[in-house]
Amino acid sequence: PAPDRLTTLLYTSGTTGGPKGVELSQRNLMANVRGKLAVLELRPDDVRYALLPFSHIFARTCDLATWLAVGCHLVLASSKQHWFDELRRFAPTYLNAVPLFYERCLERAETAGEVERPGVLREMLGGRIRLCNCGGAPLSDRVHDWFASQGVTLVTGYGLTETSPVLTSSAPGAMRKRAVGRPLPEVELRLADDGEVLVRGPNVMLGYHRDPKATQDVLRDGWLATGDLGELDSDGYLTLIGRKKELIVTPGGLKIAPTDVESCLNALPWVAQAWVWADAVGRPHAVIV
């Protein structure tokens, strides 16, 4: 197919809720592969351990497509029950995962009473790891700090199915705590007046499948409205503070990003899960497990 023809169709909740078919072209995908490899080097002698499902664009681009582009080794995880046995067996050098996996690493060390032991994390990951990449959800401070204390590089990034998916990425030597990095090459990013993250570039989708109204709602004058609220520092690092549609406005006019409050609650050792929402008049409440 031509570079701008539909190449893959992935269904997602999109930026406004409700299932939508995201149309991505070969140009979209290859632009993202080039951008990702420009920020995070992948070598032909690397061994990748792929534990994410290929039904999602994170793994489709960042594991499968970059592997094809570079030609390194790719090991497919058999199931989450065998993650740590297979990590020891295949000793990968590069790993993509969501925060759940990295939290699981910390929990295993805590259960064994080895959180403070130098080298325990590197052993857990097979002994040769040089780079871990995290996306899909916010990474907690405690996990970030533990990886840093163990000397294992854990970088963060941000993206959407609609953007093939990566928009921003940290890199070794270019990381900020709680930030999700800076825009990839060819990606333009700015904040709207209300703080919404707006992006454009060759990785932005063709549109939503057979849904011109939903496409028009998020693609405006060449810019994709992500629905996420963010802050940019003077060096161009993006920090996400919540979803635009989830923003709570209290009766006194105070604006609260519930994900920020949830992160603070979830960081407490006695909290397993927390959910923050507002009642009909905007008063915030929380359910805590």
Side-chain angles (χ1 to χ4, degrees), residues 186-203:
E186 299 185 88
V187 171
E188 295 180 72
L189 186 151
R190 65 181 178 89
L191 300 182
D193 292 341
D194 61 0
E196 184 176 10
V197 179
L198 307 178
V199 297
R200 68 180 177 185
N203 58 319

Side-chain angles (χ1 to χ4, degrees), residues 8-260:
T8 190
L9 181 66
L10 295 101
Y11 273 80
T12 174
S13 59
T15 60
T16 55
K20 300 179 185 69
V22 175
E23 296 182 343
L24 298 176
S25 69
Q26 184 73 2
R27 191 183 305 279
N28 292 155
L29 297 169
M30 288 310 303
N32 215 228
V33 169
R34 287 194 307 272
K36 189 67 176 174
L37 292 175
V39 175
L40 296 179
E41 180 191 15
L42 186 58
R43 307 166 186 165
D45 61 348
D46 270 320
V47 176
R48 303 284 295 276
Y49 183 67
L51 56 84
L52 298 170
F54 288 143
S55 54
H56 292 280
I57 192 63
F58 185 9
R60 190 87 65 89
T61 295
C62 298
D63 278 327
L64 185 61
T66 56
W67 164 65
L68 289 169
V70 174
C72 60
H73 299 276
L74 184 71
V75 177
L76 300 181
S78 58
S79 71
K80 63 183 180 182
Q81 288 78 18
H82 299 294
W83 280 347
F84 294 98
D85 290 337
E86 291 174 347
L87 285 165
R88 286 191 294 270
R89 178 182 174 189
F90 295 106
T93 59
Y94 194 118
L95 178 67
N96 286 317
V98 292
L100 173 67
F101 171 79
Y102 300 116
E103 290 164 6
R104 195 73 58 83
C105 292
L106 177 54
E107 289 167 4
R108 285 175 69 89
E110 288 174 333
T111 300
E114 294 191 315
V115 173
E116 303 295 334
R117 181 169 71 83
V120 64
L121 176 58
R122 192 167 294 278
E123 291 174 16
M124 192 184 301
L125 298 176
R128 295 196 304 159
I129 197 75
R130 70 173 182 85
L131 184 65
C132 294
N133 182 40
C134 181
L139 182 70
S140 69
D141 288 352
R142 64 192 292 264
V143 173
H144 172 278
D145 294 344
W146 185 60
F147 268 71
S149 72
Q150 287 283 320
V152 174
T153 301
L154 174 57
V155 301
T156 53
Y158 159 64
L160 311 167
T161 304
E162 290 88 339
T163 57
S164 307
V166 187
L167 290 168
T168 68
S169 178
S170 304
M175 299 188 293
R176 298 276 170 90
K177 190 173 181 178
R178 299 181 187 172
V180 290
R182 292 183 284 200
L184 295 189
E186 299 185 88
V187 171
E188 295 180 72
L189 186 151
R190 65 181 178 89
L191 300 182
D193 292 341
D194 61 0
E196 184 176 10
V197 179
L198 307 178
V199 297
R200 68 180 177 185
N203 58 319
V204 173
M205 67 172 180
L206 300 174
Y208 291 123
H209 188 57
R210 297 177 179 173
D211 198 339
K213 172 65 167 59
T215 301
Q216 291 169 8
D217 286 344
V218 298
L219 283 173
R220 308 163 194 159
D221 299 321
W223 291 86
L224 174 74
T226 66
D228 292 313
L229 299 172
E231 296 175 345
L232 283 169
D233 68 16
S234 58
D235 294 319
Y237 286 86
L238 175 68
T239 300
L240 298 174
I241 59 174
R243 293 284 295 167
K244 183 175 177 178
K245 283 187 171 291
E246 295 172 353
L247 195 68
I248 295 171
V249 182
T250 69
L254 180 66
K255 294 181 179 179
I256 299 172
T259 50
D260 262 3

